[in-house]
Amino acid sequence: MMTSKQRILKVMRGEMVDVIPFVPRLDLWWLSNATRGSLPKKYEGMMPDDISRAEGWPLYHMVPNFADVSSMDDVLHRALGLFNFRQSAYGWKFTDNIKVVTQTNEQGMQIIEYHTPVGVVRTIGGLTDAGKRSGSSLGWVQEHPIKKVTDYKILGCLFENIEVFKQYDSCKEYIDKVGDDGVVAVGGPTLAASPMHMIQKDLIDTTKFFYDYKDNYREMRELADKIEVYFNKVLAIVADSPAEVVLWGANYDDMITYPPYFEKEISPWLRKVSAALNSKGKILATHTDGENFGLMDAIYNCGAHVAESVTPYPMTKVKIEEYYRRWKDKITIMGGIPESMLLDVSIKEDEFEAFLDGCFRDLIPGDRIIFGTADSTPPDASFDRLRRISDRIEKEGRLPLAGKKYPQVISKSGATLKAPPTKNENENNLQKGAQTNEKEDMNMEMLRQIAAKVEEGDAAAIKTLVQQCLSQNISPGDILYKGLVAGMEPVGVKFKKNEVFIPEVLMAARAMKVGLELIKPKLAETKTESKGKILIGTVREDMHDIGKNIVAVMFEGAGYEVIDLGIDVSNEKFVEAAKTHGDAKILGLSALLTTTMPYMKEVIDAVRKVSPDLKIIVGGAPVSQAYADEIKADAYAADAASSVDIVKRLLD
C-alpha cells in the first residue's frame, strides 16, 4: 500500500496516483487556538501532528517551522531574515568580528544592535501575545536594519562575517520523525528567493525599498553581491542534504515582486537552485501564496517543480482551474483551497460547496494537485469544513478525475458565482486631467510640463517648475489640479492596466508631494479645497502596511487629503480620528489576516455611533464583497487600483 510520503512525492514529481492528497497545515491554527485556549475539546493537549494523524491527514512540514521553536535564539535574528533551526540542513554563526547586543523593551520586542568593524545597525522585532493569538509564529519587525544609505555597507560586512556549516544529523532526525506520514521541505538561506529579494523582504521597510531601488541601486547591488556568497554556501549544503524536497523562496505578489522585477531579481536564482537540485534528484518547491495574476508565466518558467501554498480566487484574482490549465504540464499545485473557504464569516455554505464542486469538475484529470489550505489553516477555521473537504476528496478525488456535472449555485446575494471581471470589463474611463478652454499660453505649457514630470517621477524638475509657477502668480489651485493631479491620473490608469508598477507609482507620488509641499501655504491662503478628506488605517493587531500605503498614494494622487492612521490601529483611535476630523468623507479599513478581519465590524459599529455619515470602505486579502455586505461597510475595494473609482462613486 502506498504511504502518504510516497503519494505526495509522486505527485510532486508529476506522476498520477490513486487519490488527490489532502494536506492541511495546522501549525498556525494550532498555535493560535492553543494560546487562546480554544482548541476543540477532543484535541486539547495534543500537538498539530497528533491532530492530523488522528484525522488521517498526511503531514507537510516546512523548515524553518516557526511553530516548532526550541528557543528564542532560533528566531532572534528574524529581522535580518536569518534563522537557526535544529531541523535545518545547515546552521550558521557570526565570526568574532561581530558583536551582538540584545535587550527587550516593554512590549516584549527585542532591540538588537549589531556591532561590526565598519559600523552599527539596529533592529527591533519579536512575537507578542497579540501576534500569537492572531496565529503568527514568526513575529513582526518594527524596525528594519536598513534606514539610511550607509547601512548597506554595514550589512555587507555583517554577511561577510557569517560562517555556514552542515547539520545533517539533526535534519535527518526530523525527517525520520515525520516518517512515512508525510514530507519535510527543508528551507534555503531565508524565506527570500534571491539576495535582492532578501533585501526587499527582510532588511528594509517595504515602501522604502522601492525608493532605494531607484535612488541607491549601486549600494543595494553591492550588498546583494555579498549576500550571494552566503546563499551559495547554503545551496551547496542543502543540495547534498538528506532532504528530498527543498523549499526555496516565498511570498510572491505581482504588486510587490512585480513582473519585470521578478524576472530580473528572482527568476535567475530560482533557475540556478532548480539546476543544482535537479542534478541531485531533489524537488524544488517555492511558496507562491500571494497575488500571482501578473506572474503566471514567470513562475511557470522559474524552474520550480512545486508551486506551494497556491492561493486562488476569491482571495486573489486567479481561479484554481486557471492555475491548473496554465501550470499542470510542468508544476505541481500545492494548496489551492484559500483559507477564506474555511471561515463562516467570509464564505457561505453554498459557496463553499460550489467551490469544491468546481474542483472536482474542472481539474481534470487531477494529477499534479496536492490539496491543502493556503496559506495555512486560519485560527478561526471551521474544523467541520476541513473534515468535509477530506471526506469529499476521499469519495470524489479518486484519480483520474472524469469530471461531473454539478448544479449551478447561486450565492445569497443572488449573483452567480463567477471569476472576477477582466481588466477590460473592469476598466473605467478615468478623467485625463483638468481641461481648459483658455488660450494655449506659457502658463498652461508650464502646467503641462509639471504633469509630464510628475508622471516621470522627476522630483527635482517638479521643484523648479512649481517655484517658477508661483513666481509667475499661477494660482495654487491650477498648479494642484492642472499640474500635479493631472500628472498622477495617467499613472493611476497605467497602474490599473498593469502597464506600470509600484516603483513608478511611488516615484510619481513622491514628485507630486514635493510640489504639494511648496504650494500648501498658498492653498491655505487662497482657501483652495481638496476633493475631500480620507482617513485610512490597518486594524488592530495587524502590522501589514504596503497595501494601505499604495491605496493612500492613489487617493493623494487623485487630489484627496489623506490622514494615514498607520498600522495596528485600535478601535478607539479610529473613533477619535473620526471625531477630530469631522469633515472627513471616507474611512478606509485594511486587514491582511483572517484573525484581524473581524475587527473591521467593531470599528464600523463604533465609528457609526459618532459619525453616521462617514462612508466606510474595507479591503485586504481575506476580505470579500460578501463580508463587506455582512459587516455593513459602504464599499469593498478589491485592489488599490480600483479604490479611487470607488471613492468617486461614493461621493458623487
Side-chain angles (χ1 to χ4, degrees), residues 314-315 340 343-348 351 380 411-413 539 589-605 608 616-637:
M315 286 189 68
S340 62
L343 298 172
D344 296 331
V345 296
S346 294
I347 302 294
K348 305 302 182 186
E351 295 169 324
D380 296 321
S411 70
K412 296 290 185 183
S413 63
V539 298
L589 302 179
S590 173
L592 268 291
L593 300 172
T594 56
T595 49
T596 60
M597 185 174 71
Y599 298 145
M600 287 179 161
K601 184 179 187 314
E602 295 180 11
V603 174
I604 290 173
D605 291 344
R608 288 256 164 84
I616 302 177
I617 305 173
V618 296
V623 183
S624 64
Q625 181 64 61
Y627 184 67
D629 294 341
E630 182 172 318
I631 63 176
K632 294 182 170 52
D634 293 291
Y636 160 66

Side-chain angles (χ1 to χ4, degrees), residues 214-231:
K214 170 79 171 178
D215 298 337
N216 301 310
Y217 185 78
R218 179 176 60 83
E219 291 82 359
M220 195 176 271
R221 175 51 60 190
E222 288 174 356
L223 172 57
D225 290 343
K226 292 178 179 179
I227 294 174
E228 185 165 352
V229 176
Y230 167 65
F231 268 55

Side-chain angles (χ1 to χ4, degrees), residues 72-230:
M72 289 312 297
D73 287 343
D74 292 355
V75 294
L76 181 65
H77 305 289
R78 178 263 186 273
L80 295 179
L82 298 173
F83 308 100
N84 250 329
F85 282 82
R86 67 187 185 282
Q87 311 101 320
S88 296
Y90 70 94
W92 67 271
K93 64 179 182 179
F94 290 122
T95 69
D96 293 339
N97 291 329
I98 307 299
K99 181 182 178 183
V100 179
V101 179
T102 305
Q103 58 180 308
T104 303
N105 65 16
E106 294 177 353
Q107 290 77 40
M109 308 284 268
Q110 284 75 49
I111 303 172
I112 306 177
E113 288 185 348
Y114 298 91
H115 295 253
T116 79
V118 297
V120 179
V121 290
R122 187 180 80 163
T123 66
I124 302 177
L127 182 58
T128 63
D129 289 339
K132 292 177 183 177
R133 289 193 300 272
S134 71
S136 173
S137 57
L138 183 54
W140 301 106
V141 177
Q142 193 176 85
E143 183 179 305
H144 294 273
I146 297 175
K147 293 174 278 289
K148 53 188 184 298
V149 69
T150 52
D151 292 333
Y152 286 101
K153 182 178 180 180
I154 300 171
L155 278 168
C157 179
L158 194 74
F159 276 91
E160 286 178 321
N161 282 277
I162 291 178
E163 296 177 352
V164 184
F165 50 87
K166 300 174 184 176
Q167 49 182 39
Y168 289 164
D169 289 344
S170 58
C171 178
K172 187 175 186 307
E173 180 182 341
Y174 187 68
I175 293 171
D176 290 344
K177 181 180 177 182
V178 173
D180 289 334
D181 292 336
V183 167
V184 174
V186 171
T190 176
L191 296 179
S194 70
M196 186 62 76
H197 190 211
M198 184 180 193
I199 295 172
Q200 178 190 31
K201 183 173 171 52
D202 297 316
L203 304 180
I204 190 170
D205 172 77
T206 306
T207 305
K208 179 173 170 53
F209 170 82
F210 293 109
Y211 290 126
D212 275 21
Y213 194 69
K214 170 79 171 178
D215 298 337
N216 301 310
Y217 185 78
R218 179 176 60 83
E219 291 82 359
M220 195 176 271
R221 175 51 60 190
E222 288 174 356
L223 172 57
D225 290 343
K226 292 178 179 179
I227 294 174
E228 185 165 352
V229 176
Y230 167 65

Side-chain angles (χ1 to χ4, degrees), residues 8 33-35 42 44 86 116 126 154-155 183 222 294 359 386 388 404 416 418 438 452 463 482 488 501 520 548:
I8 293 171
N33 284 280
T35 301
K42 176 181 178 181
E44 289 177 358
R86 67 187 185 282
T116 79
I154 300 171
L155 278 168
V183 167
E222 288 174 356
C359 289
L386 276 176
R388 282 154 59 195
K404 177 181 176 182
T416 303
K418 59 181 181 179
E438 297 177 9
K463 183 176 181 180
K482 297 179 182 180
M488 278 299 297
F501 304 98
K520 268 185 178 178
K548 169 189 66 66

Side-chain angles (χ1 to χ4, degrees), residues 214 452-460 462 504 506-511:
K214 170 79 171 178
K453 292 303 178 181
V454 166
E455 187 174 357
E456 293 172 14
D458 190 340
I462 289 297
E504 290 88 350
L506 291 177
M507 294 305 115
R510 182 169 66 176

